[in-house]
Amino acid sequence: MTAVSPSPLFPEVPDTADAVLAGLDPEQREVATALHGPVCVLAGAGTGKTRAITHRIAYGVRAGILQPGSVLAVTFTNRAAGEMRGRLRQLGATGVQARTFHSAALRQLQYFWPKAVGGSLPRLVERKAQLVAEAAARCRIRLDRGELRDVTSEIEWCKVTQTVSEDYPAAVVKAGRDAPRDPAEISRIYTHYEQLKQERGVIDFEDVLLLTVAILQDRYDIAEKVRSQYQHFVVDEYQDVSPLQQRLLDLWLGERDSLCVVGDASQTIYSFTGATPDHLLNFRTRHPNATVVKLVRDYRSTPQVVHLANGLLAAAKGRAAEHRLELVSQRESGPEPVYAEYGDEPTEAEHTARKIRKLIDDGLPASEIAILFRTNGQSELYEQALADAGIAYQLRGAERFFERQEVREAGAALRGAARFGGNDSLLDDAVDLPSQVRAVLSTKGWTTQAPAGSGAVRDRWESLAALVRLAEDFAAAKPAATLADLVAELDERAAAQHAPTVQGVTLASLHAAKGLEWDAVFLVGLTEGMLPIAYATTDEQVEEERRLLYVGVTRARRHLSLSWALSRSPGGRANRRPSSFLDGLRPGSGGSGARRLGGAAGSSVERGTRGPARKPRGPVHCRVCGRTLTDAGELKLMRCEDCPSDMDEGLYERLREWRADRAQEIGQPAYCVFTDKTLIAIAENVPDDEQGLARIPGVGRRKLDRFGADVLAICAGGAPAAGVAGDDDGV
């Protein structure tokens, strides 16, 4: 039989137990060989914690100390559990169970239910929102879509914190939570929700844990059977366990202490779901004889990124801060983090897209780049900026802006109001476009003041507020614009962003980025009120916001950019200030942090200004009226939006048809070939050579090489050269 050489996808399985330990650093090896008694692994970001614990399990199995079927490894996501199973197979440790808490509990519940209760397990309701809505109706309480999601989240929080309905009002106060409605109302809805489930013979996701706990508590024989099956436990991301998950873990263990937990209190960012780092921080109190190993060698990020991450946590307060880990980078030196300050949000987005374009042009794959923000409502500007720059992108953990339910509903309402025009009573007192938009969106949940707290209602408001801001900016650029003009603008933007999902730059909230990493990370919108978020009012909430930024920083392997805008829109009041978390870290901000970072040698704060992709020499004037141009769209056209166009309509249509065909050929969205504004500029200027085409903003060297010959042929009245499918690997 011919031997198969190992490959990165199918590495060679270690042939001995000792071979499993090869390649581990001293601390990882200490974790892997600590197979008896309680073990607590404090693992910083990028330190190889999954590697350490999978090698620990594999070493124990290969050495004959652990039986594969007696090991249960639990984590928090199916993705993480799948990754753990894959690594264990590669190490020759097949037969080990690696599951989420819920998956492990459901398996036990299905097996023991007939014996413990009788009959078959009740049907699992995967989406409880409909039942919550019915429970609210029984209380004669009407919930809109956002409130329904928030009340559902509160019920989930109650269950994972083991809070019964009558105790909810007091528990909210004690936990410092911002209830989405009157706590007494939520308590009543919770009570009726539980009654409805009982009437219909169904259980929900949290009941899986609650019922498993109840059976293990009440039936000693069943608990002993589980304990005889699983004798060794490993818990990943231990800082995220809820009180209910900890209770289940205690019942699995019984009086034994064959437990290994892994976590980092500095990455606790899900307290709103009931997660708490207290179990990790109290582990040594509960287990005085525990072996404690700290993993601080960071294999992910450069020394410059790690230096910033350490400096960020140095100013932290509270219990988690007392147990912070000082990371030590194991990578080669890289560029300093870049701090960038911009006059307004659109400029911040445009410059971010421009920097990303340069990274891509320099050879960095788009899939290795991410833009991270605090709230999903911030994504629209970056979706638009990337689209304008012809850069493909994908959203993680959220729908594209124009595909969100509330945005679609708002668009329909604005379209209806535009159709009725002056006959719509909603618009009677609205004298200008922004007030018309506010009036219409007020029927969809927009208010002048943001709702308190976080959750779906806040997310919905943020999306509607983004539309209000867009209307204000649109009206400022086009004072004579009507509601119909705005609707047309929204439709055009939506069409440009309805491209199929492609491999591109990742757009994600900081919460959704946990567990991921990229070569280049852009942390945007870092202003007071956004990070820390305005509704973080207690010291504990503010510290969780700091940890959220820490998670964002530690996602970067090599390139890291941190930026903020002094005002919301061009020409607005510059009344914002950078996040206080950056005080003492960014150059020029003073404080002990600056001294601690050695003056942030090599880094500087960039001052961004609005402008085209290639910075012009001196001001750019409208070629029709002579006015100085500042808007990016106008700079592309080289004229004011309102000035008459001398566009060749026939040429424009031919260019659009060519663009559609070309985009289909290369399997990319149309805007990745050229945006609409670039096509308009080409049809107005009708360039007759490469030099003339290159002068049009939006036509860079790369696009000139790929598409220039076609465009010039079309401008000359001819046909483009026949494209060959597959001759391009993307724009």
Side-chain angles (χ1 to χ4, degrees), residues 17 35-36 57-68 70:
L35 296 171
H36 301 286
I57 295 170
Y59 176 71
V61 169
R62 300 293 296 276
I65 300 171
L66 303 176
Q67 295 302 310
S70 72

Side-chain angles (χ1 to χ4, degrees), residues 622-660:
C622 171
R623 54 191 170 81
V624 180
C625 71
R627 183 177 71 84
T628 300
L629 302 178
T630 57
D631 178 79
E634 293 180 342
L635 285 162
K636 273 192 177 183
L637 297 175
M638 300 298 286
R639 62 171 174 81
C640 303
E641 288 272 7
D642 295 331
C643 282
S645 169
D646 52 359
M647 181 176 70
D648 182 331
E649 296 283 353
L651 174 58
Y652 177 66
E653 289 305 318
R654 292 196 300 275
L655 287 169
R656 280 173 58 86
E657 290 172 8
W658 164 82
R659 181 182 66 173

Side-chain angles (χ1 to χ4, degrees), residues 87 191 196 241 300 334 408 489 501 518 538 547 607 613:
R87 292 200 191 192
T191 299
L196 271 171
V241 296
R300 175 187 300 158
R408 291 202 305 267
E489 172 74 9
T501 301
W518 297 270
T538 67
R547 295 194 294 270
R607 308 288 176 180

